Amino acid sequence: MQEELASKLGIKKEVLEIYNECEQELGEKFKEIEEIAMYNTAKVMQAFWNNKLSETHFRATTGYGYDDIGREVIEKIYAEIFGAEDAFVRIQFVNGTHALSTALFGNLLPGDTMLSITGEPYDTLAESIGIVENKMSLINLGVKYEQVDLVDNSFNFEEIREKMESQNIKLVFIGRSRGYSTRKSLSIAEIKQAIDFVKGIDKDTLVMVDNCYGEFVEKLEPTNIGADIIAGSLIKNIGGSLCETGGYIVGKKECVEHAAERLTAPGIGKECGATLGKNKEILQGLFMAPSVVAAAVKTACITAAMLEKLGYEVSPSAWEDRTDIIQSVTFNDKEKLVKFIQGVQSASPIDSFVRPEPWVMPGYTDEVVMAAGTFVSGASIELSADAPIRPPYMAYMQGGITYESASVAVCIAISNMLGK
Ligand SMILES: *Cc1c(COP(=O)(O)O)cnc(C)c1O
């Protein structure tokens, strides 16, 4: 970044120097990220070619949405990209939690046992499962829930074996991304090891992966390495920042069909669902996604590198291989944390004039402060950051539609944090 431009934007000279230095140091790392984006872009392009995508697929359907050829081609393209038998991609999913919950409710029946092998699943699934009491939960339906925690960020294979041998496990659940926990995210290679292990004990046990935040960060997806069913949100990675709502489930034909019959109704499954003119957005978003995800990953890396240089603890480090777009930073100081988050908001394309303050939010025990100046409400593929106000004052940051806009925002956030 040029000095004159940086000063016009309110970026401190010392921050600019660190930025330019880090960008240089990250040259090789950025090349690796771009190479992954190239690979995934090729995968998307080939799926478009193989399925003869055309303008007619953008046509809107209404009402029942019968014979929506655009919707059908989207699902074929998703299945191909994910190396899966079938896909269910719908704007009728209200978020990622809904897609994940639908996949669980579709594939677990009363009497079945679900085993999470990455500790407690993402917060929002707690009530779906019944870890937090809810009348409508899987547990209240008669599904049993078992859990094996990670040990030092790795699978506890011994305990997984013990659980699988002592009871009949229908579905094993894996969370790829750390979400907003302190554990590490799990790479595709690590997940493969776990899937192979589970299938080695019982090949009929279903493996489901929460793929949120993971899509296109690596070359392979969990379905490429043996997962039976995965789910995620269209307002994260795979929507390429263009999708305004929706979720997806991909995997084995039977698993996807069961989930579809839960979202719609038994006997209807994938056959209905008007697309209301959203097909183009889903397809163009998918087309953009590998590149947008690369921008988000580069943003995470430069943020980590800069803050590491300034003496903060970051996870993952700038040079670690990544499997999701989340970056955490430990500030150990309430004021610095809040100033950083406010800086991100002030450099957002939307609502730059709003100053977020720590606030009590429903469902959270501590006050929370968040920056989310996004085109699509709550879309975390766009640059966003949030933090609970409690020691060690850790912020989670993710997204960035373009590396340029997001790195400007990070430089402004760090300048704001350094103050004076
Ligand atoms: C975002 C996310 C979800 C789903 O959250 P929604 O906000 O409902 O889309 C689930 N798991 C992980 C790891 C996530 O990051």
Side-chain angles (χ1 to χ4, degrees):
M1 203 187 302
Q2 300 278 307
E3 201 175 319
E4 202 186 308
L5 183 65
S7 109
K8 228 192 273 181
L9 290 166
I11 295 166
K12 281 176 182 292
K13 196 160 171 236
E14 57 176 304
V15 175
L16 175 69
E17 275 163 15
I18 295 175
Y19 173 81
N20 286 336
E21 218 174 279
C22 289
E23 199 173 48
Q24 278 232 312
E25 288 168 13
L26 284 167
E28 276 304 308
K29 185 80 201 160
F30 280 10
K31 270 201 199 124
E32 278 170 36
I33 295 167
E34 282 154 19
E35 206 257 318
I36 292 171
M38 179 60 89
Y39 182 91
N40 285 322
T41 297
K43 204 158 46 168
V44 171
M45 291 174 80
Q46 280 180 309
F48 281 20
W49 300 336
N50 292 342
N51 288 283
K52 297 189 164 60
L53 186 65
S54 86
E55 205 181 335
T56 53
H57 294 122
F58 300 159
R59 240 187 22 231
T61 55
T62 57
Y64 294 110
Y66 287 133
D67 302 319
D68 188 316
I69 54 167
R71 191 188 68 212
E72 283 165 14
V73 89
I74 285 169
E75 290 176 344
K76 281 195 187 130
I77 287 170
Y78 260 66
E80 183 173 329
I81 288 168
F82 280 94
E85 287 175 12
D86 203 0
F88 186 51
V89 185
R90 299 299 165 113
I91 57 169
Q92 282 81 10
F93 283 119
V94 301
N95 56 22
T97 305
H98 187 197
L100 287 157
S101 173
T102 303
L104 288 171
F105 273 90
N107 287 282
L108 289 162
L109 292 170
D112 288 343
T113 303
M114 158 186 184
L115 169 66
S116 171
I117 59 170
T118 47
E120 204 166 292
Y122 190 69
D123 293 359
T124 59
L125 289 170
E127 286 190 48
S128 295
I129 295 165
I131 299 166
V132 169
E133 167 63 22
N134 185 303
K135 204 170 83 213
M136 303 304 289
S137 70
L138 283 166
I139 289 176
N140 263 0
L141 197 69
V143 172
K144 276 190 285 184
Y145 173 74
E146 293 280 344
Q147 182 177 310
V148 174
D149 291 338
L150 294 171
V151 176
D152 294 331
N153 293 309
S154 298
F155 290 102
N156 184 342
F157 289 113
E158 217 168 289
E159 208 184 318
I160 295 169
R161 176 184 295 282
E162 204 175 285
K163 293 260 189 208
M164 287 191 67
E165 285 177 350
S166 64
Q167 45 197 311
N168 192 5
I169 305 290
K170 171 77 180 294
L171 181 147
V172 162
F173 182 91
I174 296 173
R176 175 176 176 181
S177 170
R178 60 189 291 177
Y180 303 112
S181 70
T182 47
R183 76 159 170 100
K184 290 210 162 139
S185 300
L186 293 160
S187 70
I188 291 293
E190 288 167 305
I191 292 172
K192 181 172 189 308
Q193 237 190 335
I195 295 176
D196 290 347
F197 184 80
V198 166
K199 296 283 181 183
I201 297 171
D202 180 1
K203 66 173 177 34
D204 295 325
T205 299
L206 297 175
V207 177
M208 171 170 163
V209 178
D210 174 352
N211 205 34
C212 283
Y213 282 143
E215 300 90 358
F216 293 147
V217 177
E218 296 194 52
K219 288 183 179 174
L220 296 179
E221 300 295 336
T223 33
N224 295 117
I225 47 122
D228 298 294
I229 186 162
I230 68 175
S233 165
L234 298 195
I235 66 164
K236 291 183 178 172
N237 304 22
I238 195 90
S241 84
L242 295 183
C243 286
E244 293 187 315
T245 188
Y248 76 88
I249 295 172
V250 304
K252 289 254 162 69
K253 193 165 186 53
E254 196 185 42
C255 296
V256 171
E257 189 54 41
H258 289 162
E261 298 214 324
R262 269 289 164 250
L263 179 78
T264 61
I268 296 195
K270 291 179 66 188
E271 297 305 311
C272 285
T275 52
L276 310 174
K278 292 292 200 185
N279 288 346
K280 175 162 162 281
E281 188 177 297
I282 293 173
L283 288 157
Q284 196 176 347
L286 179 60
F287 187 71
M288 301 285 298
S291 169
V292 171
V293 168
V297 175
K298 281 182 180 175
T299 302
C301 288
I302 193 115
T303 306
M306 291 175 77
L307 286 164
E308 233 169 325
K309 254 193 189 120
L310 287 165
Y312 296 93
E313 195 186 309
V314 299
S315 174
S317 92
W319 284 269
E320 250 173 90
D321 285 335
R322 290 176 187 252
T323 192
D324 67 13
I325 62 169
I326 298 185
Q327 182 65 51
S328 80
V329 183
T330 304
F331 290 94
N332 279 315
D333 181 301
K334 178 179 168 182
E335 197 188 327
K336 287 208 166 78
L337 166 73
V338 173
K339 285 246 186 293
F340 180 85
I341 303 268
Q342 288 174 341
V344 170
Q345 182 75 39
S346 75
S348 298
I350 314 300
D351 290 340
S352 58
F353 53 89
V354 169
R355 202 169 76 155
E357 297 285 353
W359 204 254
V360 187
M361 302 257 299
Y364 292 85
T365 40
D366 303 282
E367 284 186 324
V368 177
V369 60
M370 47 177 78
T374 55
F375 290 94
V376 173
S377 178
S380 41
I381 185 60
E382 301 184 47
L383 186 66
S384 47
D386 41 68
I389 304 293
R390 64 161 178 259
Y393 300 105
M394 191 189 256
Y396 294 91
M397 198 196 87
Q398 63 277 313
I401 304 181
T402 70
Y403 170 69
E404 292 76 12
S405 62
S407 34
V408 163
V410 168
C411 288
I412 289 176
I414 295 176
S415 299
N416 197 49
M417 175 191 89
L418 293 176
K420 282 189 270 25

